[in-house]
């Protein structure tokens, strides 16, 4: 239902127009070359203007959920218009053993670049039920009235009376 990036510094342009997050499933664990993959993507966010508000975890709530099968590898494609003029935002990342990132900038395929530096992301979602739903009949009745009294009374049938206590 969302993706979050751990941002260490905002850079000079925290607002990005036409921000789009696409999610898809693939069998690959690394990119074999600099050609972008074209699986069936679900557009989960955007196009919309997105603003990073501060450093730390920046969450982007999906407007359309992605239905993951729980087995396939995910591919996340992010695009936006605009760029930082003086300094780019910095995002925490983890160095991987293979080319797990493929990126490009300035809307050009001539500068496609492979990287082992994968952003640290936090994906949030909901777990679906593993069995079909079964209707459960429920009857709601009005509860009996409760009267407080200072006198002794029988609590349950067959029980002796109790002494009233002040609460």
């Amino acid at each position: 239902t969302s993706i979050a990036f751990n941002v260490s510094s905002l850079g000079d342009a925290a607002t990005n127009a036409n921000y789009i997050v696409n999610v898809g499933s693939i069998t690959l664990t690394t990119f074999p070359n600099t050609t972008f993959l074209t699986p069936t993507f679900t557009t989960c966010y955007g196009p919309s203007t997105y603003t990073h508000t501060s450093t730390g975890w920046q969450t982007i709530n999906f407007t359309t959920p992605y239905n993951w099968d729980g087995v396939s590898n995910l591919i996340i494609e992010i695009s936006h218009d605009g760029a930082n003029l003086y300094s780019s935002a910095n995002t925490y990342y983890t160095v991987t053993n293979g080319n797990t990132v493929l990126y490009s900038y300035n809307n050009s395929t001539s500068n496609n670049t492979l990287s082992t530096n994968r952003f640290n992301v936090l994906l949030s979602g909901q777990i679906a039920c593993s069995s079909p739903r079964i209707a459960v009949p429920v009857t709601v009745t009005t509860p009996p009235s409760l009267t407080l009294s200072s006198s002794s009374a029988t609590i349950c049938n067959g029980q002796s009376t109790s002494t009233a206590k002040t609460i």
Side-chain angles (χ1 to χ4, degrees), residues 153-157 159-163:
T154 301
I155 301 172
C156 297
N157 291 335
Q159 299 277 328
S160 61
T161 60
S162 66
T163 306

Side-chain angles (χ1 to χ4, degrees), residues 7 29 39 42 69-71 76-77 80 85 90 92 98 110 112 119 123 136-137 141 158-159 162 167:
V7 176
T29 56
T42 298
D69 62 14
V71 178
I76 301 170
E77 178 186 74
H80 63 84
L85 296 175
N90 290 309
Y92 291 103
S110 65
N112 292 0
F119 289 153
L123 296 167
V136 178
T141 57
Q159 299 277 328
S162 66
I167 301 176

Side-chain angles (χ1 to χ4, degrees), residues 37-112:
L37 302 176
T38 57
T40 301
F41 280 111
T42 298
T43 300
C44 296
Y45 179 84
S48 184
T49 297
Y50 179 75
T51 301
H52 300 281
T53 57
S54 65
T55 58
W57 287 101
Q58 299 294 299
T59 302
I60 300 168
N61 293 311
F62 292 164
T63 52
T64 302
Y66 179 75
N67 188 17
W68 181 47
D69 62 14
V71 178
S72 300
N73 293 322
L74 294 177
I75 183 168
I76 301 170
E77 178 186 74
I78 297 176
S79 63
H80 63 84
D81 291 345
N84 294 324
L85 296 175
Y86 306 107
S87 64
S88 297
N90 290 309
T91 303
Y92 291 103
Y93 63 90
T94 298
V95 178
T96 61
N97 290 327
N99 292 316
T100 54
V101 175
L102 173 59
Y103 68 92
S104 180
Y105 54 91
N106 294 337
N107 200 24
S108 172
T109 57
S110 65
N111 59 20
N112 292 0

Side-chain angles (χ1 to χ4, degrees), residues 2-6 57-60 62 119-125:
S2 68
I3 187 170
F5 298 93
N6 196 0
W57 287 101
Q58 299 294 299
T59 302
I60 300 168
F62 292 164
F119 289 153
N120 296 343
V121 298
L122 179 63
L123 296 167
S124 296

